[in-house]
Amino acid sequence: MSHPMFKHPESLMMSHGYKPELSEGAIKCPIFQTSTFVFRSAEEGKAFFEVAYGIREQKKNEEIGLIYSRLNNPDLEILENRLCLWDGAEDCAVFESGMSAISTVLLEFLKPGDLLVYSMPVYGGTDHFINHFLPKIGIHTLGFMPDTSEEMLKSMIIESGKSANLAMIYIETPANPTNDLIDIEMCAKVAEAFSTADKKVWVGVDNTYMGPVWQHPLKHGADIVMYSATKYIGGHSDVIAGAVLGSKEVIKRVKTLRTFLGNMAGPWTGWLLMRSLETLKIRMEKQCSNAQIVAAYLADHPGVEKVYYAGLLDPESRAYSIYQKQLLAPGAMLSFDIKGGEKEAFLFLNALKLIKLAVSLGSTESLAEHPASMTHAGIEPSHRAEIGIRDCMVRLSVGVEHPDDIIADIRQALEVVSKSANAKALSTENI
Ligand SMILES: *Cc1c(COP(=O)(O)O)cnc(C)c1O
């Protein structure tokens, strides 16, 4: 168990919330691969249900009893306790995917007639849920761009004619794949301005792109934090999972809906994520230091037009002031525009030897993809242009390999692109 003397989350990831004496002294939490739990007596079973179903308040020092793995399971509960430490959250609920975490939050905190305001761009699956599913149940949605100021956002909400029904501001920052930053504190102020005594406007943040080590939205006024734990938290491209964090009150609502949707993570997923959490910080630190080296290399390369990375922001820009306030590091995700278009981007991607051509992010291995035709292919081309996703853009998730090898791979792939351009120039000269 944790001790008040040790405050750094990375020191507690191996032990927090787990009592070896309850598991035959096993140093690691075993996989509790069980659907149901035996009650010691009927009275105990009754007491567990009373607390789980909110029939009565939990007594002081009364532990929530184990009932059935759709409600709770030790692998999930211990994982949830550990995840709380990074974000400074009171409670957490884990899910079998990032999308189930996000959709459960939106379903719990929105009802027909409500208005949801969201930042653009958001993850493709989230965008689909917001724009294709929520309207079917009578929820109004309104997107805003990253450069929107507090005043502009307030006017947009008022002009929508639905400001009295505003229920949530949902943001994703840094935005995928452009690394645009959205000011969480500003969104919290706007939410407060539209809250009334009997209706709180919630602020939810998808913190997947920056991860739990370097951005803590609750500290900037957010109420709900969501993760695709498939990304940095899992970190090895071998599990799909999600998490939601917030106050006890928020998570109680989320867990209640989770119980009835049945989209909680299973014990095996919980166990895998606990194993991943032990190395979360050192993985992310290595990934970030590699990403800084890669970003600097790309920024200087004649074959590259532009690099999108939080570590390369203009100190005079608004984004930089958000970066200073909100982020503890520039992260391991970056995008760049290669000189040319889709053809050159594809030549580059096909030439990579060490970096894998795949979507997803935050893993130990470096990954590269083409947002316009892959992760963001579902967005209308005109809207895609508006949000700055060009055909020449390549997105990189930088892994833990040796930086010299990552650079060597990028260098040789960019050479393939420039040789092809030179060959083309020569052949047209000969005509
Ligand atoms: C991957 C991702 C999701 C969806 O998570 P899954 O685990 O794939 O369901 C949501 N938001 C962001 C920012 C993501 O990168």
Side-chain angles (χ1 to χ4, degrees):
M1 290 298 279
S2 52
H3 187 283
M5 196 169 122
F6 310 115
K7 293 190 172 60
H8 299 93
E10 63 269 38
S11 309
L12 302 171
M13 285 303 114
M14 286 64 80
S15 58
H16 184 66
Y18 173 65
K19 297 181 184 140
E21 63 272 24
L22 295 181
S23 296
E24 307 277 6
I27 188 161
K28 290 289 139 175
C29 178
I31 304 174
F32 286 86
Q33 192 67 49
T34 184
S35 58
T36 194
F37 296 85
V38 178
F39 304 135
R40 272 170 290 210
S41 66
E43 288 76 11
E44 185 187 74
K46 180 180 173 182
F48 287 0
F49 268 94
E50 283 173 345
V51 174
Y53 282 5
I55 296 165
R56 65 167 170 83
E57 281 296 305
Q58 207 168 328
K59 291 181 198 142
K60 218 169 165 253
N61 295 328
E62 183 179 13
E63 297 226 359
I64 294 186
L66 292 162
I67 298 175
Y68 183 67
S69 290
R70 178 156 47 73
L71 278 64
N72 51 12
N73 175 291
D75 291 294
L76 302 200
E77 291 191 341
I78 298 167
L79 168 65
E80 288 165 349
N81 291 340
R82 291 183 188 174
L83 278 169
C84 283
L85 298 179
W86 296 100
D87 275 281
E90 280 177 15
D91 206 355
C92 170
V94 288
F95 289 83
E96 203 57 43
S97 69
M99 278 316 301
S100 55
I102 293 164
S103 54
T104 302
V105 164
L106 294 174
L107 288 172
E108 175 56 31
F109 292 94
L110 298 172
K111 61 178 188 317
D114 278 351
L115 171 67
L116 170 73
V117 166
Y118 69 100
S119 66
M120 295 189 296
V122 286
Y123 179 73
T126 311
D127 192 276
H128 187 93
F129 191 79
I130 289 176
N131 289 305
H132 295 272
F133 180 77
L134 292 181
K136 282 207 296 197
I137 56 170
I139 292 162
H140 307 281
T141 63
L142 176 67
F144 70 93
M145 296 291 287
D147 58 3
T148 310
S149 70
E150 185 176 339
E151 289 317 308
M152 279 156 69
L153 187 55
K154 283 182 181 162
S155 330
M156 274 176 70
I157 294 168
I158 292 164
E159 278 159 26
S160 76
K162 304 243 169 348
S163 61
N165 302 330
L166 176 65
M168 185 189 280
I169 301 178
Y170 177 100
I171 56 185
E172 200 178 298
T173 181
N176 173 10
T178 51
N179 268 327
D180 282 311
L181 301 180
I182 291 154
D183 189 335
I184 300 170
E185 199 184 351
M186 176 196 92
C187 293
K189 275 195 210 151
V190 173
E192 209 189 322
F194 289 95
S195 292
T196 58
D198 44 28
K199 193 204 72 181
K200 178 176 168 52
V201 177
W202 303 95
V203 176
V205 179
D206 180 339
N207 200 29
T208 304
Y209 215 64
M210 188 47 57
V213 174
W214 297 314
Q215 181 170 264
H216 306 126
L218 299 175
K219 294 181 181 138
H220 302 282
D223 304 294
I224 308 161
V225 180
M226 289 150 274
Y227 288 103
S228 166
T230 310
K231 313 297 165 56
Y232 286 109
I233 294 173
H236 295 72
S237 302
D238 56 9
V239 62
I240 300 275
V244 179
L245 295 109
S247 66
K248 281 199 158 60
E249 176 206 353
V250 160
I251 300 302
K252 192 170 180 196
R253 289 180 59 175
V254 170
K255 280 190 176 168
T256 302
L257 185 57
R258 185 184 71 172
T259 291
F260 298 107
L261 292 176
N263 53 2
M264 70 295 153
W268 169 237
T269 298
W271 182 89
L272 258 181
L273 291 181
M274 274 195 272
R275 182 168 177 150
S276 286
L277 278 184
E278 298 189 5
T279 55
L280 177 73
K281 189 155 181 206
I282 54 165
R283 279 188 278 114
M284 290 187 73
E285 279 173 348
K286 178 67 177 168
Q287 288 178 258
C288 181
S289 78
N290 280 352
Q292 286 170 286
I293 296 167
V294 171
Y297 175 78
L298 289 170
D300 268 351
H301 197 287
V304 172
E305 196 180 316
K306 183 173 176 188
V307 182
Y308 304 80
Y309 185 56
L312 294 177
L313 293 170
D314 171 6
E316 300 295 315
S317 62
R318 176 175 172 224
Y320 186 76
S321 67
I322 303 175
Y323 169 72
Q324 284 210 303
K325 170 165 80 166
Q326 205 164 284
L327 275 62
L328 301 170
M333 291 303 301
L334 59 92
S335 296
F336 65 95
D337 290 341
I338 199 163
K339 280 193 185 147
E342 183 187 273
K343 181 170 160 273
E344 286 70 21
F346 279 18
L347 271 171
F348 173 82
L349 290 168
N350 290 334
L352 291 170
K353 296 181 193 318
L354 178 72
I355 301 171
K356 298 288 178 290
L357 173 52
V359 300
S360 198
L361 59 102
S363 183
T364 43
E365 71 271 88
S366 293
L367 300 172
E369 65 111 7
H370 184 245
S373 68
M374 296 170 192
T375 43
H376 296 73
I379 304 175
E380 282 287 307
S382 61
H383 183 45
R384 204 155 61 214
E386 234 169 57
I387 57 184
I389 303 174
R390 301 172 65 193
D391 288 343
C392 56
M393 181 187 267
V394 171
R395 188 186 79 178
L396 288 178
S397 168
V398 181
V400 300
E401 302 92 341
H402 196 289
D404 293 353
D405 291 331
I406 301 174
I407 297 287
D409 197 25
I410 292 173
R411 180 187 300 121
Q412 67 81 23
L414 284 170
E415 266 164 26
V416 171
V417 179
S418 71
K419 272 189 198 133
S420 147
N422 290 343
K424 197 175 154 207
L426 273 179
S427 68
T428 42
E429 262 170 40
N430 288 341
I431 292 170

